Amino acid sequence: MNDPGAIRGRVLEPLPNSLFRVELEGGGKVVAHAAGRARLASVRLLPGDRVLVELSTTDPGRGRILSRLV
């Protein structure tokens, strides 16, 4: 997972419609959805899980979860 635009974060809480509130490593919070292989593989995300998040270029308060970190 060497995506240069990705930031590490931690899932704070699940939200309706497959959204998650994620606290970023450098501070700040975003609302993110599972994308790509994370959604296709039905990765279960629970509060406290560390994830890799790609932020939206148009709205910095939104993003997508690329993967769950082990």
Side-chain angles (χ1 to χ4, degrees), residues 14-58:
L15 300 171
N17 297 328
S18 302
L19 294 173
F20 299 90
R21 188 171 316 278
V22 178
E23 182 178 28
L24 300 177
E25 198 173 60
K29 296 178 185 174
V30 296
V31 175
H33 65 275
R37 282 189 273 184
R39 186 187 322 163
L40 291 177
S42 298
V43 172
R44 180 174 292 256
L45 296 171
L46 298 171
D49 284 349
R50 292 172 30 101
V51 293
L52 199 60
V53 178
E54 181 180 43
L55 296 180
S56 170
T57 56
T58 57

